[in-house]
Amino acid sequence: MVHGSQSPPLGKSDARRPLKSRATLWARRSAVLLLRSGCSPNLVSVCSVGFATLAACSLWLVSSWNPPQRSWLVGCWIAAVVGIQGRLWCNLMDGMLAVEGGLKTPNGELYNEVPDRVADSLILIGAGFSAGVWSPWAANWGWAAALVACSTAYVRVLGASLVGQHDFRGPMAKPHRMALLTLACVTGAGEQFMGRTPVSLQVALVLIVILGIVTCIRRLSGISELMRGRVS
């Protein structure tokens, strides 16, 4: 999976999410290939929305399309996993191209943030619509998860504007959300292949909402603590 974050100690000024995968050989080779192909970090950022659309459409097909062979359903689940992980891969590569590759642009921060919010919403709302076929209330959790995901990002950016520091702490930061959804898709594929009603997506969305609210509270508390510390 293309993720793996570490939460920096509060007070460390860094606009980049700490990622273990950034130091891996495969990530560096991928970045080199993109550099040689002439891809810009902004283009890679936009491509993350394409992968998110793949994930959302695949999840929709899982619930709306009933092919004669279960293997096709499993294929849709796999495509959703590819879309989710592809989105994370783009999020990793755009930063590596911009910083390590020296291709940072004046409007790079805009491309870094906006496609992320669109990608989050597409995947989470798509997961909600998919799960809503089996449990009507689950669609509402998809919308709620998208709102909470945007809220965690808003709080992070708010902290950067107020105290000059990004707080990437969880327990439900972006890599955690995508890891949980990936696990839910793998589990859902197994459930549906065995003829059972997939409940994994429903559980994942509920956890994303609840733990996402906890994440917002933790980040807001951290911002407040830093602001009080600067006054005293």
Side-chain angles (χ1 to χ4, degrees), residues 8-14 155-156 158-169 217-232:
L10 196 59
K12 180 179 179 181
S13 180
D14 192 351
V155 172
R156 172 179 57 80
L158 177 65
S161 67
L162 292 176
V163 298
Q165 297 169 17
H166 288 263
D167 187 353
F168 294 102
R169 289 184 296 177
I217 294 173
R218 290 190 69 201
R219 292 181 181 183
L220 286 170
S221 298
I223 295 170
S224 178
E225 180 182 341
L226 284 177
M227 295 179 74
R228 289 198 305 268
R230 292 185 176 185
V231 172
S232 59

Side-chain angles (χ1 to χ4, degrees), residues 56-111:
C57 291
S58 299
L59 290 171
W60 175 75
L61 286 173
V62 163
S63 60
S64 64
W65 184 40
N66 188 22
Q69 296 182 351
R70 290 178 181 174
S71 59
W72 285 93
L73 289 173
V74 174
C76 290
W77 286 108
I78 293 175
V81 170
V82 170
I84 293 170
Q85 291 301 307
R87 175 266 172 103
L88 287 178
W89 179 78
C90 287
N91 293 160
L92 176 64
M93 289 297 107
D94 61 1
M96 293 187 70
L97 289 177
V99 179
E100 284 84 353
L103 297 179
K104 196 170 184 178
T105 61
N107 59 349
E109 288 298 321
L110 190 64
Y111 277 90

Side-chain angles (χ1 to χ4, degrees), residues 106-191:
N107 59 349
E109 288 298 321
L110 190 64
Y111 277 90
N112 187 54
E113 292 293 337
V114 176
D116 248 8
R117 306 292 75 78
V118 175
D120 260 334
S121 298
L122 283 171
I123 295 173
L124 293 169
I125 294 173
F129 274 117
S130 180
V133 171
W134 295 285
S135 298
W137 56 267
N140 296 327
W141 284 97
W143 286 100
L147 176 61
V148 169
C150 285
S151 297
T152 61
Y154 170 76
V155 172
R156 172 179 57 80
V157 175
L158 177 65
S161 67
L162 292 176
V163 298
Q165 297 169 17
H166 288 263
D167 187 353
F168 294 102
R169 289 184 296 177
M172 199 50 70
K174 177 178 63 180
H176 308 146
R177 292 193 298 269
M178 296 300 104
L180 181 58
L181 280 176
T182 299
L183 178 61
C185 288
V186 173
T187 305
E191 289 175 317

